[in-house]
Amino acid sequence: MKIAIASDHGGFELKQKMIEHYAKQGMFFDDLGTNSTESCDYPLIAKKMTDAILEKKADMGILICGTGIGISIAANRVKGIRAAILYNEDVARLTREHNNANIAVFGGRMQKFEDVVKYFDIFMKTGFSEENRHQKRICELDE
Ligand code: RB5
């Protein structure tokens, strides 16, 4: 499974912490930037991620901005992208089971690191339920 990660300046610190944390467990992310706390534009960062997923350079993504809001709005404008802000354990599981989310989003200025890794671990170990009603709704999104 190829996983990409990207953030704007508001999510830079959390991105670096996640990269370090998961590397210790042998999980390596493709880092699409940004590379410092210098101000940058979250729509352009989201586009790097959505391009990587649509071009199948990544199977899943992690996007981070200050709140998680701007970067998820940007990503979700792209057909085929289902980006979900993970804000509790049930949401982390349900957005994989029901929405087949392909991007986990976090708010770097809003969420505690321990919570972020707890939610992302759940997200990664949960599969899509493949129930007809959920697949039908996902198709409706793309139509
Ligand atoms: C940047 O200051 C901030 O606006 C951005 O990271 C994000 O929170 C936008 O939704």
Side-chain angles (χ1 to χ4, degrees):
M1 162 98 54
K2 290 175 287 180
I3 304 169
I5 190 167
S7 76
D8 74 354
H9 55 290
F12 176 73
E13 260 180 50
L14 176 57
K15 173 168 74 69
Q16 299 312 113
K17 282 175 87 169
M18 286 187 79
I19 289 170
E20 200 178 311
H21 173 86
Y22 284 101
K24 284 185 196 149
Q25 301 181 11
M27 197 190 290
F28 299 96
F29 303 142
D30 185 11
D31 184 357
L32 306 181
T34 188
N35 299 316
S36 74
T37 53
E38 191 180 324
S39 183
C40 63
D41 298 333
Y42 60 79
L44 307 183
I45 300 290
K47 181 161 181 356
K48 285 188 184 179
M49 176 63 75
T50 57
D51 283 351
I53 290 184
L54 296 183
E55 289 164 14
K56 302 202 183 307
K57 291 178 183 155
D59 303 305
M60 291 276 194
I62 304 166
L63 279 176
I64 313 168
C65 66
T67 57
I69 304 287
I71 212 155
S72 59
I73 292 172
N76 278 316
R77 289 191 175 198
V78 178
K79 191 169 171 177
I81 297 298
R82 295 173 301 279
I85 302 178
L86 309 188
Y87 56 86
N88 71 33
E89 293 174 49
D90 287 337
V91 164
R93 177 177 54 81
L94 286 168
T95 197
R96 290 286 306 123
E97 288 179 353
H98 290 194
N99 313 120
N100 200 10
N102 47 16
I103 300 181
V105 183
F106 297 104
R109 293 174 178 155
M110 302 294 154
Q111 294 183 274
K112 288 189 211 145
F113 181 68
E114 314 83 77
D115 290 336
V116 165
V117 295
K118 186 165 50 178
Y119 304 157
F120 186 67
D121 288 346
I122 294 169
F123 183 89
M124 285 311 297
K125 73 173 192 212
T126 308
F128 178 47
S129 77
E130 295 190 19
E131 282 174 45
N132 283 343
R133 69 185 201 281
H134 297 308
Q135 186 55 62
K136 177 174 172 283
R137 290 163 190 161
I138 289 169
C139 289
E140 286 168 356
L141 285 173
D142 289 340
E143 284 159 15

